[in-house]
Amino acid sequence: EPYLDCGAYLGATVGRFANRISGGRFTLKGDTYHLTRNEGRHHLHGGGRGFDKAVWRGEAIEAGNQVGVRFHYCSPDGEEGYPGELDVSVSYRLDRSGGLRIDYRATTDRATPVNLAHHSYFNLNSGGATSVLSHRIRIEADHYLVIDQDGIPTGELCTVEGTPLDFRSPRALGYRIDDLVAARGGYDHTYVLRSRGGEPTLAAQVTDAETGRRLEVLTTQPGLQLYSGNFLDGSLVGREGIAYHRWHAFCLEAQHFPDTPNHPSFPSAVLEPGEVYAHSVIYRLGVQT
């Protein structure tokens, strides 16, 4: 029950479309669709009752050296304003090398935008009790999406060079976060990852010097959202009574670009009948040697 009531998307699969859609509307094949507006005048993470609020059916799976669980959900035509019935499965597999692999698959009976993402929060030092601003992060991206004051992409791709978003080499997460506080409260930006393939490739690496812990993120998706927990305010209390405050966790959300349905120049996120939506992300934990 606490997960169903939570507004922070803790550990959730978000959809039908992760991130924001401007004005809660888009046009597809000549028809305009109006979505639930749950972040001011915009649509965020699938709406008021997105996939994070759905109760999925689960089954255990085991294959080779991997064990896990496969979840299934059928999103009805018109849910939160989206066209088409969407049949979705998300498989979580844990392997012996410290990797958690998440595979997304979906089919539809009508053309619809689909963008599924994983929204776990991480703190490699204290499980959320302290700031993550000393964590060092590297992101495999030379460009990011320029956004307006509401976090909506303008359509422009800009180089990270000379900006607070330049993590091409490892840097502390907090090294220029103050430059972003006035606009977005910290990091809440989409990176344009270097070329992707059919199998997950490295998108980001985060390390904590004090504990030696390391997190690698691999994905097939074209974008990676870096979020520094800007809206955590201490009201959420987790394990061992830890209250989650601003900048006490970060998210690395592999996904399509925000507001893609309203930007023809972005890689398409439309799923057609007869096609299969298939993307993967791997979160690999280890220690520095």
Side-chain angles (χ1 to χ4, degrees), residues 121-133:
Y121 290 72
F122 294 93
N123 183 316
L124 303 182
N125 184 289
S126 62
T130 58
S131 168
V132 295
L133 297 188

Side-chain angles (χ1 to χ4, degrees), residues 2-207:
Y3 279 100
L4 297 181
D5 294 334
C6 179
Y9 308 99
L10 293 177
T13 291
V14 291
R16 181 175 306 193
F17 198 93
N19 218 306
R20 296 167 177 86
I21 294 181
S22 175
R25 64 187 296 275
F26 65 89
T27 300
L28 179 61
K29 298 185 183 297
D31 294 321
T32 298
Y33 297 93
H34 296 273
L35 309 175
T36 303
R37 297 181 179 185
N38 60 317
E39 189 186 56
R41 64 185 189 90
H42 305 300
H43 177 84
L44 174 67
H45 289 332
R49 190 185 180 278
F51 288 2
D52 62 299
K53 297 296 188 295
V55 178
W56 299 55
R57 187 179 75 248
E59 61 177 345
I61 52 177
E62 185 170 357
N65 71 336
Q66 297 182 333
V67 293
V69 61
R70 180 183 295 111
F71 291 101
H72 174 260
Y73 177 65
C74 186
S75 174
D77 179 30
E79 184 172 47
E80 297 298 308
Y82 288 97
E85 181 179 277
L86 189 73
D87 194 75
V88 187
S89 70
V90 181
S91 298
Y92 295 78
R93 293 183 176 90
L94 186 65
D95 65 34
R96 297 182 186 278
S97 65
L100 175 67
R101 179 175 178 132
I102 305 171
D103 294 305
Y104 303 93
R105 293 179 65 86
T107 57
T108 184
D109 61 0
R110 188 176 173 192
T112 187
V114 182
N115 181 24
L116 307 179
H118 186 70
H119 205 289
S120 274
Y121 290 72
F122 294 93
N123 183 316
L124 303 182
N125 184 289
S126 62
T130 58
S131 168
V132 295
L133 297 188
S134 64
H135 287 33
R136 295 180 66 81
I137 183 169
R138 176 168 62 89
I139 298 177
E140 301 293 326
D142 303 307
H143 297 84
Y144 71 96
L145 299 184
V146 178
I147 55 177
D148 65 16
Q149 67 276 8
D150 293 335
I152 303 295
T154 65
E156 180 184 3
L157 277 62
C158 187
T159 177
V160 299
E161 186 172 357
T163 75
L165 285 84
D166 189 353
F167 291 105
R168 291 173 295 177
S169 298
R171 283 178 168 158
L173 185 60
Y175 93 110
R176 286 184 63 183
I177 197 170
D178 288 341
D179 295 347
L180 305 170
V181 170
R184 297 298 302 159
Y187 291 96
D188 194 9
H189 298 76
T190 302
Y191 285 83
V192 180
L193 296 173
R194 297 174 189 136
S195 60
R196 303 284 97 189
E199 283 297 313
T201 52
L202 186 66
Q205 183 183 81
V206 186
T207 58

